[in-house]
Amino acid sequence: MKTRKLLALIMTIALALSLFACGASEAGKDTPPFSKVSLDCSEDDVVKAYD
């Protein structure tokens, strides 16, 4: 009985990890916000870039 519970726990963890791992490859494809400006830009430059 304990082996069934342990096996069910391991299978649940493996299934959860495989489901969450599928979305991880998509995360790096989008560009981050404010990528067109740098820290040296003024507030006016940022507003002009994103209006």
Side-chain angles (χ1 to χ4, degrees), residues 1 4 8 10-12 14 16 26 29 32-34 37 39 43-44 46-48 51:
M1 192 70 172
R4 279 189 173 176
I10 291 172
M11 294 301 290
T12 303
E26 299 289 326
K29 293 184 178 181
F34 303 107
V37 295
L39 293 175
E43 183 180 352
D44 293 332
V46 174
V47 171
K48 286 178 188 175
D51 270 342

Side-chain angles (χ1 to χ4, degrees), residues 15-32:
L15 179 63
L17 288 176
S18 66
L19 289 175
F20 289 120
C22 291
S25 62
E26 299 289 326
K29 293 184 178 181
D30 294 331
T31 56

